[in-house]
Amino acid sequence: MTTEQYCDILNFTASGGKPDITQIEVLLSPPDAECEQKLFDTALKLKREIFGNLVNLRGLIEFSNICSCDCLYCGIRKSNPKVKRYQMSDEEILHSAKLASDFGYGAVVLQSGERSDRHFTGRVTQLLNKIAELPSPPAVTLSCGEQSLEVYKEWVAAGAKRYLLRIESATEEIFRRIHPESTTFANRKAALLRIREAGFQTGTGVMIGLPGQTLHHLARDIEFFRDMDIDMIGMGPFLPQSDTPMGDAPDDEQTVARRFSWSLRMIAVTRLVLKDVNIASTTALQTIDPENGRERGLLAGANVIMPNVGDISYRRDYQLYNGKPALDENGREIREKLLESLRKIGEVPRWDASGDPPHFARRTNS
Ligand code: 5AD
C-alpha cells in the first residue's frame, strides 16, 4: 500500500463514498505515521463539520456492580470473589443525577452490572420516574445489559432515551472466546435489535486489541455498526484485569501502544464511515494515557465524553479493568480537569444539552 493509494481511499470515503470491507481494513492500516495523522485530521474535520467544536458531556453513574454475567475479561464478573458488591441508594443516584444537571452536563449514563430479576428492573423504572421529576432532568442513557423487549419498553416509557450495549466483537468466533457459553452472540445481537425496537437511540461498541483480533476483525466491527444502523458508538482498548481469566493476556509496552493507536484509528474510521453518529472517547483510552488519552480520542473524531459523577466511595469497586483513572477525584475535580483539557485542544462543552446523535433523527424520519 503506497501513501497515494491510501489517500485515494481516504478521500473517496471523506467525500461520501461507501467503502467496502476491504477498503475499511485499508483505512485502518495507514502505511506510515503521516497517513495515520491524515486519517485523524480528516475525521476531526468531518466531526467539526457535523458538530462544530462542541463536545457532548454525560455524567456517568456506575450505580451497582452486582452482575449475573461471567464475561472472561470483566473485573465485575460474577465469579470474581474479590469484588465488594454494592448498590447505590436511590438518594445517592438522584444526588449524582442532580449534580450532573447542576454541572451543565445535560445527560447522564446509568450503568450497572447485568441483572434481569424484577426487583432490579422495576427499581430502574422507579429511578427513571424520580429522575424525570428533578427540576431540570438530564437526558438518561441506560447501560444495564440484555433485557426483554417488555423491560426495554418500560424503561423508554419511564423516560430513558438511549441505551448502550456493546457487541464486544462482531466476529462471532472472538465473541465466543471471551464469553461463557451462556452469553451468546445471537442473544447479544437480538438484544440490540430489541433496544432499537423499543425506541431507544441505540449504542454499541467493541473492545480493541483482544487476543487474536486483527484489523480485519475491526473492519468487520465497523461494517456491523453500519449494517445495524447504529446511532452511538463507545469503544476502547482491551485492558487485562488481573482477577479475570483473561488477566494474563499480553500487556507489554508495545502491545499497549498498539491497542491505543488501533483505538484512535477505529474512532477515526468509524467517524468517516458512519458520519453523524455520536462517538465516545472512553475512559479506557484515558487509562492508557492519563494526560491526553480522551483528548486524543476527540482529536481523532469522537464527540462525547462521559465524566464520572458517582460517589468516590464506590469507584474502587467498579474496576472493569486495571488502572482505572480518577479513583480519588470527585465529580467537581473531574469536571475542572476536563474543562482545562478541552480548552487546550480547542473543543468546547455543549452545556445543558441532551446531545442527540443527528443519525437518530435521520433514521427515524425516513
Ligand atoms: N478492558 C476493556 N474494556 C472492558 N470492558 C469490560 N471489561 C473490560 C476490560 N477488561 C468494557 C466492555 C463492556 C463495558 C461496560 O466495559 O466492553 O461492555
Side-chain angles (χ1 to χ4, degrees), residues 4 9-11 22 31 38 50 98 106 116 126 135 152 161 180 223 271 273 297 299 301 303 329 351 356 364:
E4 204 167 83
I9 296 180
L10 185 58
N11 293 335
T22 316
K38 192 148 187 225
I50 299 170
K98 190 172 173 307
S116 53
Q126 296 309 316
Y152 286 143
K161 232 179 170 181
E223 201 173 44
R271 169 64 66 212
V273 175
L299 291 174
N303 69 314
E329 288 171 25
W351 296 120
D356 300 323
T364 46

mmCIF file of all heavy atoms in Angstrom, residues 4 9-11 22 31 38 50 98 106 116 126 135 152 161 180 223 271 273 297 299 301 303 329 351 356 364:
data_model
loop_
_atom_site.group_PDB
_atom_site.id
_atom_site.type_symbol
_atom_site.label_atom_id
_atom_site.label_comp_id
_atom_site.label_asym_id
_atom_site.label_seq_id
_atom_site.Cartn_x
_atom_site.Cartn_y
_atom_site.Cartn_z
ATOM 1 N N GLU A 4 -0.048 7.133 -1.693
ATOM 2 C CA GLU A 4 -1.015 7.644 -2.662
ATOM 3 C C GLU A 4 -2.298 6.802 -2.698
ATOM 4 O O GLU A 4 -3.407 7.337 -2.688
ATOM 5 C CB GLU A 4 -0.362 7.639 -4.040
ATOM 6 C CG GLU A 4 -0.967 8.629 -4.997
ATOM 7 C CD GLU A 4 -0.054 8.773 -6.204
ATOM 8 O OE1 GLU A 4 -0.174 7.925 -7.105
ATOM 9 O OE2 GLU A 4 0.773 9.702 -6.215
ATOM 10 N N ILE A 9 -8.229 6.221 -1.073
ATOM 11 C CA ILE A 9 -9.367 5.598 -0.374
ATOM 12 C C ILE A 9 -9.887 6.527 0.722
ATOM 13 O O ILE A 9 -11.091 6.648 0.952
ATOM 14 C CB ILE A 9 -8.969 4.215 0.184
ATOM 15 C CG1 ILE A 9 -8.623 3.289 -0.989
ATOM 16 C CG2 ILE A 9 -10.087 3.610 1.020
ATOM 17 C CD1 ILE A 9 -8.209 1.891 -0.599
ATOM 18 N N LEU A 10 -8.957 7.238 1.366
ATOM 19 C CA LEU A 10 -9.357 8.190 2.408
ATOM 20 C C LEU A 10 -10.223 9.298 1.797
ATOM 21 O O LEU A 10 -11.293 9.631 2.314
ATOM 22 C CB LEU A 10 -8.101 8.781 3.078
ATOM 23 C CG LEU A 10 -8.308 9.715 4.265
ATOM 24 C CD1 LEU A 10 -9.092 9.026 5.383
ATOM 25 C CD2 LEU A 10 -6.957 10.202 4.815
ATOM 26 N N ASN A 11 -9.781 9.839 0.674
ATOM 27 C CA ASN A 11 -10.539 10.915 0.027
ATOM 28 C C ASN A 11 -11.877 10.420 -0.506
ATOM 29 O O ASN A 11 -12.892 11.110 -0.388
ATOM 30 C CB ASN A 11 -9.722 11.538 -1.114
ATOM 31 C CG ASN A 11 -8.508 12.268 -0.572
ATOM 32 O OD1 ASN A 11 -8.515 12.705 0.586
ATOM 33 N ND2 ASN A 11 -7.452 12.387 -1.377
ATOM 34 N N THR A 22 -12.943 -4.419 2.493
ATOM 35 C CA THR A 22 -11.507 -4.386 2.194
ATOM 36 C C THR A 22 -10.976 -2.960 2.323
ATOM 37 O O THR A 22 -9.885 -2.739 2.859
ATOM 38 C CB THR A 22 -11.264 -4.892 0.750
ATOM 39 O OG1 THR A 22 -12.055 -6.049 0.544
ATOM 40 C CG2 THR A 22 -9.812 -5.207 0.518
ATOM 41 N N PRO A 31 -0.142 3.307 5.971
ATOM 42 C CA PRO A 31 1.202 2.778 5.718
ATOM 43 C C PRO A 31 2.302 3.494 6.507
ATOM 44 O O PRO A 31 3.377 2.938 6.670
ATOM 45 C CB PRO A 31 1.391 2.996 4.206
ATOM 46 C CG PRO A 31 0.419 4.061 3.834
ATOM 47 C CD PRO A 31 -0.731 3.934 4.772
ATOM 48 N N LYS A 38 -3.074 11.974 8.873
ATOM 49 C CA LYS A 38 -4.043 12.470 7.886
ATOM 50 C C LYS A 38 -5.426 11.851 8.134
ATOM 51 O O LYS A 38 -6.452 12.526 7.991
ATOM 52 C CB LYS A 38 -3.539 12.125 6.474
ATOM 53 C CG LYS A 38 -4.286 12.828 5.413
ATOM 54 C CD LYS A 38 -3.443 13.140 4.203
ATOM 55 C CE LYS A 38 -4.299 14.000 3.285
ATOM 56 N NZ LYS A 38 -4.241 13.619 1.901
ATOM 57 N N ILE A 50 -19.940 18.444 11.267
ATOM 58 C CA ILE A 50 -21.245 17.975 11.751
ATOM 59 C C ILE A 50 -21.620 18.615 13.089
ATOM 60 O O ILE A 50 -22.744 19.063 13.283
ATOM 61 C CB ILE A 50 -21.246 16.435 11.881
ATOM 62 C CG1 ILE A 50 -20.981 15.788 10.519
ATOM 63 C CG2 ILE A 50 -22.584 15.946 12.457
ATOM 64 C CD1 ILE A 50 -20.721 14.292 10.580
ATOM 65 N N LYS A 98 -28.590 14.878 39.857
ATOM 66 C CA LYS A 98 -28.804 16.318 40.047
ATOM 67 C C LYS A 98 -27.475 17.069 39.882
ATOM 68 O O LYS A 98 -27.417 18.140 39.275
ATOM 69 C CB LYS A 98 -29.381 16.560 41.441
ATOM 70 C CG LYS A 98 -29.852 17.972 41.635
ATOM 71 C CD LYS A 98 -30.605 18.147 42.946
ATOM 72 C CE LYS A 98 -30.910 19.624 43.169
ATOM 73 N NZ LYS A 98 -29.706 20.492 43.065
ATOM 74 N N GLY A 106 -26.301 17.993 31.144
ATOM 75 C CA GLY A 106 -27.465 17.774 30.264
ATOM 76 C C GLY A 106 -27.850 16.323 30.046
ATOM 77 O O GLY A 106 -28.908 16.030 29.504
ATOM 78 N N SER A 116 -31.546 -9.403 35.499
ATOM 79 C CA SER A 116 -32.853 -9.323 34.846
ATOM 80 C C SER A 116 -33.991 -9.622 35.811
ATOM 81 O O SER A 116 -35.147 -9.701 35.407
ATOM 82 C CB SER A 116 -32.896 -10.250 33.631
ATOM 83 O OG SER A 116 -32.518 -11.543 34.039
ATOM 84 N N GLN A 126 -38.460 2.828 38.578
ATOM 85 C CA GLN A 126 -38.771 3.822 39.622
ATOM 86 C C GLN A 126 -37.763 4.971 39.608
ATOM 87 O O GLN A 126 -38.124 6.140 39.747
ATOM 88 C CB GLN A 126 -38.751 3.165 41.017
ATOM 89 C CG GLN A 126 -39.809 2.103 41.243
ATOM 90 C CD GLN A 126 -41.192 2.599 40.873
ATOM 91 O OE1 GLN A 126 -41.583 3.718 41.203
ATOM 92 N NE2 GLN A 126 -41.946 1.800 40.119
ATOM 93 N N PRO A 135 -35.800 19.067 38.956
ATOM 94 C CA PRO A 135 -36.090 20.389 38.392
ATOM 95 C C PRO A 135 -35.684 20.556 36.918
ATOM 96 O O PRO A 135 -36.488 20.949 36.101
ATOM 97 C CB PRO A 135 -35.288 21.338 39.285
ATOM 98 C CG PRO A 135 -34.994 20.568 40.523
ATOM 99 C CD PRO A 135 -35.098 19.118 40.230
ATOM 100 N N TYR A 152 -37.324 -3.219 28.137
ATOM 101 C CA TYR A 152 -36.797 -2.068 27.392
ATOM 102 C C TYR A 152 -37.906 -1.048 27.147
ATOM 103 O O TYR A 152 -37.705 0.156 27.299
ATOM 104 C CB TYR A 152 -36.199 -2.523 26.053
ATOM 105 C CG TYR A 152 -34.847 -3.234 26.154
ATOM 106 C CD1 TYR A 152 -34.538 -4.305 25.308
ATOM 107 C CD2 TYR A 152 -33.873 -2.809 27.064
ATOM 108 C CE1 TYR A 152 -33.300 -4.943 25.367
ATOM 109 C CE2 TYR A 152 -32.631 -3.458 27.131
ATOM 110 C CZ TYR A 152 -32.360 -4.524 26.280
ATOM 111 O OH TYR A 152 -31.133 -5.149 26.347
ATOM 112 N N LYS A 161 -33.818 7.529 27.200
ATOM 113 C CA LYS A 161 -33.746 7.900 25.796
ATOM 114 C C LYS A 161 -32.789 7.042 24.987
ATOM 115 O O LYS A 161 -32.970 6.801 23.813
ATOM 116 C CB LYS A 161 -33.165 9.317 25.773
ATOM 117 C CG LYS A 161 -33.959 10.291 24.989
ATOM 118 C CD LYS A 161 -33.301 11.653 25.074
ATOM 119 C CE LYS A 161 -33.985 12.531 24.071
ATOM 120 N NZ LYS A 161 -33.430 13.859 24.034
ATOM 121 N N PRO A 180 -18.603 -16.740 28.518
ATOM 122 C CA PRO A 180 -19.019 -18.103 28.878
ATOM 123 C C PRO A 180 -20.100 -18.562 27.898
ATOM 124 O O PRO A 180 -20.676 -17.736 27.181
ATOM 125 C CB PRO A 180 -19.601 -17.923 30.287
ATOM 126 C CG PRO A 180 -20.046 -16.506 30.340
ATOM 127 C CD PRO A 180 -19.103 -15.735 29.468
ATOM 128 N N GLU A 223 -18.261 -2.505 9.904
ATOM 129 C CA GLU A 223 -19.316 -2.911 8.984
ATOM 130 C C GLU A 223 -20.588 -3.313 9.746
ATOM 131 O O GLU A 223 -21.708 -2.997 9.337
ATOM 132 C CB GLU A 223 -18.829 -4.083 8.121
ATOM 133 C CG GLU A 223 -19.633 -4.222 6.866
ATOM 134 C CD GLU A 223 -19.052 -5.258 5.932
ATOM 135 O OE1 GLU A 223 -18.663 -6.346 6.411
ATOM 136 O OE2 GLU A 223 -18.992 -4.983 4.720
ATOM 137 N N ARG A 271 -15.945 7.307 12.405
ATOM 138 C CA ARG A 271 -16.491 8.634 12.088
ATOM 139 C C ARG A 271 -16.675 8.792 10.575
ATOM 140 O O ARG A 271 -17.729 9.222 10.108
ATOM 141 C CB ARG A 271 -15.562 9.728 12.650
ATOM 142 C CG ARG A 271 -15.861 11.145 12.163
ATOM 143 C CD ARG A 271 -17.240 11.652 12.616
ATOM 144 N NE ARG A 271 -17.316 11.816 14.058
ATOM 145 C CZ ARG A 271 -18.428 11.648 14.785
ATOM 146 N NH1 ARG A 271 -19.564 11.318 14.205
ATOM 147 N NH2 ARG A 271 -18.413 11.795 16.109
ATOM 148 N N VAL A 273 -16.967 6.545 8.246
ATOM 149 C CA VAL A 273 -17.922 5.621 7.625
ATOM 150 C C VAL A 273 -19.359 5.899 8.109
ATOM 151 O O VAL A 273 -20.296 5.898 7.320
ATOM 152 C CB VAL A 273 -17.522 4.150 7.896
ATOM 153 C CG1 VAL A 273 -18.562 3.182 7.357
ATOM 154 C CG2 VAL A 273 -16.163 3.846 7.264
ATOM 155 N N GLY A 297 -8.661 11.008 21.606
ATOM 156 C CA GLY A 297 -9.869 10.404 21.034
ATOM 157 C C GLY A 297 -10.734 11.470 20.353
ATOM 158 O O GLY A 297 -11.245 11.260 19.250
ATOM 159 N N LEU A 299 -9.651 14.286 19.184
ATOM 160 C CA LEU A 299 -8.932 14.789 18.009
ATOM 161 C C LEU A 299 -8.919 13.768 16.865
ATOM 162 O O LEU A 299 -8.516 14.085 15.751
ATOM 163 C CB LEU A 299 -7.499 15.187 18.391
ATOM 164 C CG LEU A 299 -7.416 16.422 19.300
ATOM 165 C CD1 LEU A 299 -5.985 16.679 19.747
ATOM 166 C CD2 LEU A 299 -7.994 17.659 18.617
ATOM 167 N N GLY A 301 -11.824 12.316 16.131
ATOM 168 C CA GLY A 301 -13.187 12.321 15.594
ATOM 169 C C GLY A 301 -14.306 11.993 16.562
ATOM 170 O O GLY A 301 -15.473 11.988 16.171
ATOM 171 N N ASN A 303 -16.955 12.709 19.744
ATOM 172 C CA ASN A 303 -17.667 13.934 20.129
ATOM 173 C C ASN A 303 -18.391 13.831 21.469
ATOM 174 O O ASN A 303 -19.214 14.678 21.787
ATOM 175 C CB ASN A 303 -18.682 14.333 19.038
ATOM 176 C CG ASN A 303 -19.843 13.352 18.952
ATOM 177 O OD1 ASN A 303 -19.638 12.141 18.956
ATOM 178 N ND2 ASN A 303 -21.063 13.856 18.887
ATOM 179 N N GLU A 329 -10.836 11.188 42.626
ATOM 180 C CA GLU A 329 -11.306 12.533 42.306
ATOM 181 C C GLU A 329 -12.826 12.586 42.336
ATOM 182 O O GLU A 329 -13.488 11.728 41.790
ATOM 183 C CB GLU A 329 -10.825 12.946 40.911
ATOM 184 C CG GLU A 329 -9.344 13.246 40.872
ATOM 185 C CD GLU A 329 -8.838 13.433 39.446
ATOM 186 O OE1 GLU A 329 -9.628 13.790 38.569
ATOM 187 O OE2 GLU A 329 -7.634 13.206 39.250
ATOM 188 N N TRP A 351 -23.134 22.851 26.692
ATOM 189 C CA TRP A 351 -23.775 22.884 28.009
ATOM 190 C C TRP A 351 -25.269 22.618 27.943
ATOM 191 O O TRP A 351 -25.943 23.044 27.013
ATOM 192 C CB TRP A 351 -23.549 24.246 28.691
ATOM 193 C CG TRP A 351 -22.119 24.541 29.008
ATOM 194 C CD1 TRP A 351 -21.381 25.590 28.553
ATOM 195 C CD2 TRP A 351 -21.247 23.787 29.867
ATOM 196 N NE1 TRP A 351 -20.101 25.531 29.058
ATOM 197 C CE2 TRP A 351 -19.996 24.438 29.870
ATOM 198 C CE3 TRP A 351 -21.392 22.612 30.629
ATOM 199 C CZ2 TRP A 351 -18.897 23.973 30.588
ATOM 200 C CZ3 TRP A 351 -20.299 22.145 31.348
ATOM 201 C CH2 TRP A 351 -19.077 22.826 31.323
ATOM 202 N N ASP A 356 -28.390 14.734 21.227
ATOM 203 C CA ASP A 356 -28.819 13.563 20.455
ATOM 204 C C ASP A 356 -27.996 13.408 19.179
ATOM 205 O O ASP A 356 -27.666 14.399 18.532
ATOM 206 C CB ASP A 356 -30.294 13.714 20.073
ATOM 207 C CG ASP A 356 -31.172 13.823 21.305
ATOM 208 O OD1 ASP A 356 -30.868 13.131 22.287
ATOM 209 O OD2 ASP A 356 -32.143 14.601 21.279
ATOM 210 N N THR A 364 -35.080 7.782 12.068
ATOM 211 C CA THR A 364 -36.470 7.623 12.459
ATOM 212 C C THR A 364 -37.422 8.461 11.607
ATOM 213 O O THR A 364 -38.621 8.244 11.622
ATOM 214 C CB THR A 364 -36.660 7.960 13.962
ATOM 215 O OG1 THR A 364 -35.962 9.183 14.232
ATOM 216 C CG2 THR A 364 -36.102 6.879 14.837
#
